[in-house]
Amino acid sequence: VAANPAAQTRASKSLRIYVVDVEGGNATLIVSPTGESLLIDTGNPSNGRDAGRIMAAAADAGVKQIDHLIITHYHADHIGALPELLPQIPIRHFIDHGPNIDPMGSGAKFEAAYKEMYAKAKHTVAKPGDRLPIAGLEVRVVTSNGETIKTPLAGAGAANPYCASFKPGMNNLEDPMSVGVHLTFGRFRAIHLGDLTKNKEFELMCPNNRLGTVDVILGVHHGQATSNSEVLVHAVRPRAIIMNNGTRKGGEPETMQTIHTSPGLEDLWQIHFSLLSGQEYTVPGMFIANVFDDRPAALPLAPAPAPQRGAAATSPPAHDGDAYWIKLVAEQDGSYTVTNARNGFTKTYAAAR
């Protein structure tokens, strides 16, 4: 597919991915070697804070417009900052799973404004199997609107041994609708499945693994236990995982155990230190991009209990100070480098043999 002539970014031989700190929401900026940009979600409504953090990543990447925006599903931590972002940068192509199905959900109040936004641009309702037109990068939709691809991707399709021990999880209305994508750049492979729940992971991965193996999993639903079953995480055998968690959102012990026992995993990178992990399940600080604005005298060893949901929930600790992303740069040969912007720690992963 020919490059989008309107793309206005610096050319590069590498694929660049920024996992932006949007406080336990999701905003992942992907920039192809041709300079085309794909943003997956926009973070929380936050008086410009999350939009500003996305704009900082765009500036670092030389991005002057968003060529493609995927709204994985209609929760506020995924669509909430869009009204604050759009006045700052043009968005050419909006992609989603179709209409919001949860009128009581946290993102429902953005629905009318969102329709007005995409009415002025190109709009696509994603279907499993679709390809996004980004030159030099293959982006395949593998889940959308509660459906999954039926035909395995190239090189995938083997029987999944983790299906036999699968235990169903909880669903809400919107998470299972998530638009999930598989990225291929030369020999490099990554997935971002939005907030796809365990039950949908089972549909995607059982009885046969339709995704094959990947180098990196992006997002992992903030590290929440309603997602991240072994049928997915262990079956795709990532070498690295980048988790978009918050200080008190995600990083739950059940998920952390699944991640840390995943075959072939070398490293977990976290956007935040998680109180729900404590020191019991966390990773060394050099792999964590953000800590606390108001730092405790000592970090807890035991995991903290998960906060209540709904109206009884208390607000998480505010993090309005400096925010840092985790940046991945991938090469055609399958090698890639991950950098923690807070401390400059960088690790290079050689191409798989």
Side-chain angles (χ1 to χ4, degrees):
V1 181
N4 182 346
Q8 303 177 39
T9 63
R10 294 194 299 261
S12 169
K13 294 182 179 180
S14 306
L15 170 68
R16 291 167 289 161
I17 300 175
Y18 295 78
V19 180
V20 182
D21 173 23
V22 289
E23 300 302 319
N26 181 69
T28 304
L29 178 65
I30 300 167
V31 184
S32 78
T34 63
E36 291 181 72
S37 57
L38 166 63
L39 177 64
I40 303 178
D41 292 330
T42 64
N44 292 277
S46 52
N47 295 320
R49 181 199 65 194
D50 286 5
R53 293 175 181 182
I54 294 169
M55 289 301 299
D60 188 80
V63 167
K64 304 299 183 183
Q65 68 179 31
I66 302 300
D67 296 299
H68 309 276
L69 168 65
I70 293 176
I71 297 297
T72 60
H73 63 294
Y74 301 102
H75 280 161
D77 56 329
H78 294 257
I79 193 174
L82 181 55
E84 301 159 7
L85 179 66
L86 186 58
Q88 302 183 58
I89 190 168
I91 300 175
R92 303 303 184 192
H93 183 196
F94 293 79
I95 303 160
D96 54 59
H97 70 65
N100 171 43
I101 68 167
D102 184 4
M104 303 302 292
S106 64
K109 62 183 178 181
F110 298 99
E111 188 171 12
Y114 177 60
K115 289 179 179 178
E116 292 181 4
M117 293 174 194
Y118 71 62
K120 301 174 184 178
K122 181 179 179 181
H123 174 234
T124 298
V125 175
K127 296 179 176 60
D130 286 354
R131 288 180 169 87
L132 300 190
I134 302 176
L137 178 65
E138 182 173 289
V139 182
R140 292 284 302 277
V141 176
V142 295
T143 66
S144 182
N145 201 35
E147 299 181 355
T148 69
I149 54 170
K150 305 306 180 188
T151 302
L153 301 178
N160 187 342
Y162 301 101
C163 297
S165 58
F166 174 77
K167 296 180 181 178
M170 295 175 59
N171 280 334
N172 57 33
L173 292 177
E174 269 293 313
D175 284 350
M177 302 294 108
S178 290
V179 177
V181 294
H182 180 280
L183 311 174
T184 302
F185 174 59
R187 294 174 56 195
F188 176 80
R189 305 285 187 273
I191 55 173
H192 191 304
L193 301 182
D195 286 0
L196 197 72
T197 55
K198 286 181 176 178
N199 299 344
K200 289 299 175 182
E201 292 172 354
F202 181 83
E203 291 182 26
L204 175 64
M205 300 295 291
C206 293
N208 297 94
N209 175 353
R210 296 175 206 158
L211 299 183
T213 59
V214 301
D215 297 287
V216 178
I217 302 178
L218 301 166
V220 292
H221 190 177
H222 323 298
Q224 298 203 89
T226 53
S227 302
N228 304 303
S229 61
E230 291 183 0
V231 298
L232 176 75
V233 177
H234 287 200
V236 300
R237 299 179 66 90
R239 296 175 64 193
I241 292 174
I242 304 177
M243 184 170 72
N244 58 8
N245 65 305
T247 54
R248 239 181 22 184
K249 181 177 181 180
E252 297 172 17
E254 178 183 335
T255 294
M256 298 297 272
Q257 289 182 61
T258 299
I259 288 174
H260 286 306
T261 58
S262 183
L265 184 77
E266 295 183 37
D267 299 302
L268 169 64
W269 299 73
Q270 297 180 202
I271 285 294
H272 274 274
F273 175 81
S274 171
L275 288 168
L276 305 191
S277 296
Q279 293 187 56
E280 192 79 14
Y281 297 102
T282 198
V283 297
M286 59 189 175
F287 291 95
I288 300 175
N290 298 281
V291 285
F292 302 102
D293 286 350
D294 184 14
R295 300 185 184 185
L299 294 177
L301 176 65
Q308 292 180 284
R309 298 181 181 274
T314 55
S315 299
H319 172 54
D320 292 321
D322 293 337
Y324 301 95
W325 58 64
I326 292 174
K327 181 179 179 180
L328 184 153
V329 178
E331 310 301 336
Q332 283 270 0
D333 65 359
S335 64
Y336 57 100
T337 298
V338 182
T339 300
N340 179 347
R342 177 178 63 83
N343 54 20
F345 173 69
T346 295
K347 181 171 179 179
T348 297
Y349 300 79
R353 296 181 180 178

